[in-house]
Amino acid sequence: RKEVEQDPGPFNVPEGATVAFNCTYSNSASQSFFWYRQDCRKEPKLLMSVYSSGNEDGRFTAQLNRASQYISLLIRDSKLSDSATYLCVVSGGGFKTIFGAGTRLFVKA
Amino acid sequence: ETGVTQTPRHLVMGMTNKKSLKCEQHLGHNAMYWYKQSAKKPLELMFVYSLEERVENNSVPSRFSPECPNSSHLFLHLHTLQPEDSALYLCASSQGQGRTEAFFGQGTRLTVV
């Protein structure tokens, strides 16, 4: 089993759609969770951290379920500019940070 | 503009060459990382330095040799690489351990011929 596993994608959605990304992790001792965004041929950038209580930033909502070892990212009212690869990132404490393979999102007009 | 800069941005090298990748962070962070990103594969953590001391080495072949002379600079020395080493090499830095955000450089796209 992969340490961090994401939906393979790609997701093709129209503008205005709601899209959800799922991620599971294998290490129950993992402590920190993040969603990063990576545009084509660019470096990854932090989109948002994920907290146990869930957190929202504008159109983006992240959820964490420790019991199921599951993380999600919801994007509402998709924009063309949301097209990118979304990376689930899990840190097991210390400096060991594991990236998922990413899910590619295409938002079309 | 990113606080982490990498040079060169692109590099083509032969299998017998020796080259070095350079990374510099201007964020005052105390940890620096090398990642490898191959096509259609997840980012792979290669090395981690904390306070200039190597704290992670994820079974990376010895043809990759990191160097961290101070907390702001990180190098990756390359020698006798293989074509399968062609990838995007990303440097990142963070303050403290993995609980905090990592800031990435724009990467060096390496092609081994």
Side-chain angles (χ1 to χ4, degrees):
Chain A
R1 182 182 175 187
K2 294 179 183 176
E3 291 184 87
V4 177
E5 201 150 4
Q6 294 187 239
D7 292 329
F11 287 12
N12 291 282
V13 302
E15 273 187 292
T18 296
V19 59
F21 300 110
N22 301 313
C23 173
T24 58
Y25 60 94
S26 61
N27 183 358
S28 59
S30 298
Q31 299 178 15
S32 303
F33 309 89
F34 309 90
W35 283 101
Y36 277 70
R37 170 191 169 134
Q38 186 172 23
D39 291 291
C40 188
R41 306 189 76 83
K42 296 278 187 76
E43 73 275 20
K45 292 183 179 178
L46 180 69
L47 178 65
M48 56 199 304
S49 302
V50 187
Y51 306 116
S52 295
S53 55
N55 48 301
E56 187 173 313
D57 182 3
R59 298 182 293 108
F60 299 84
T61 301
Q63 297 278 353
L64 167 63
N65 184 323
R66 286 188 183 272
S68 302
Q69 295 177 206
Y70 168 90
I71 307 158
S72 66
L73 175 69
L74 187 75
I75 304 177
R76 291 180 299 277
D77 188 23
S78 303
K79 311 292 184 191
L80 294 175
S81 57
D82 294 332
S83 298
T85 297
Y86 290 84
L87 304 168
C88 174
V89 182
V90 175
S91 175
F95 293 94
K96 189 169 178 63
T97 299
I98 307 296
F99 281 74
T103 303
R104 190 86 182 269
L105 172 66
F106 294 97
V107 181
K108 299 181 179 179
Chain B
E1 287 296 319
T2 179
V4 181
T5 56
Q6 289 186 242
T7 55
R9 294 290 306 280
H10 301 273
L11 177 63
V12 179
M13 60 185 289
M15 288 190 282
T16 58
N17 291 160
K18 289 185 180 181
K19 296 286 184 184
S20 295
L21 309 185
K22 180 182 176 182
C23 176
E24 184 174 359
Q25 59 99 358
H26 314 277
L27 301 167
H29 289 165
N30 59 13
M32 295 187 76
Y33 311 76
W34 279 117
Y35 283 89
K36 175 184 178 182
Q37 188 172 37
S38 304
K40 299 185 180 179
K41 292 176 76 174
L43 268 77
E44 300 170 55
L45 180 62
M46 300 175 72
F47 301 104
V48 182
Y49 276 82
S50 173
L51 298 173
E52 302 149 44
E53 184 179 330
R54 192 188 311 178
V55 295
E56 287 275 347
N57 179 348
N58 282 357
S59 303
V60 179
S62 59
R63 57 187 184 268
F64 295 91
S65 174
E67 179 190 0
C68 187
N70 55 61
S71 59
S72 299
H73 293 86
L74 186 65
F75 295 89
L76 188 63
H77 303 300
L78 316 171
H79 64 97
T80 59
L81 295 192
Q82 304 298 311
E84 59 265 28
D85 295 322
S86 299
L88 179 68
Y89 289 85
L90 289 158
C91 172
S93 72
S94 70
Q95 182 59 28
Q97 299 183 2
R99 298 182 186 183
T100 59
E101 176 184 1
F103 290 80
F104 285 83
Q106 292 177 299
T108 296
R109 189 160 296 280
L110 173 68
T111 304
V112 181
V113 297

